[in-house]
Amino acid sequence: MLSQEKFENLILDPNKFVEGDIIWDKNKRNPPAFEFRVKIVSDDITALANDPIGVWEQFCLESKITHNGIMHRPQVLALDL
């Protein structure tokens, strides 16, 4: 866990970036959900959870992160009812 000071320094650093594409993977703890992981933090995202690309774009904008790649859309799974 980051201290508040380290968190603020991280957010204020304009040289942050994520290199490469973001690909969704099956969530092993909560199937049939999908997840992606990158090492970043933010609490101020207001985009809706059903718009993961919008969430990612807002996060990058607010935390001043440059993402050099593509965030792929997660797969849509047909659930057995």
Side-chain angles (χ1 to χ4, degrees):
M1 180 105 163
L2 291 176
S3 69
Q4 184 64 31
E5 180 182 2
K6 287 183 179 182
F7 174 79
E8 289 173 7
N9 288 338
L10 178 66
I11 291 300
L12 294 173
D13 178 2
N15 298 313
K16 295 181 296 291
F17 66 93
V18 174
E19 190 67 48
D21 298 344
I22 297 173
I23 299 172
W24 293 82
D25 194 12
K26 289 184 180 178
N27 183 324
K28 294 172 182 66
R29 295 164 300 176
N30 189 22
F34 284 83
E35 66 183 357
F36 75 90
R37 293 182 183 266
V38 285
K39 293 183 179 183
I40 47 180
V41 290
S42 179
D43 295 328
D44 299 324
I45 303 302
T46 58
L48 299 177
N50 64 355
D51 178 18
I53 293 175
V55 170
W56 178 249
E57 290 171 347
Q58 181 182 351
F59 173 81
C60 288
L61 180 68
E62 290 182 9
S63 58
K64 299 175 182 69
I65 292 175
T66 300
H67 173 206
N68 298 320
I70 298 169
M71 175 163 203
H72 296 274
R73 292 197 175 279
Q75 294 177 334
V76 176
L77 297 177
L79 300 176
D80 296 330
L81 299 177

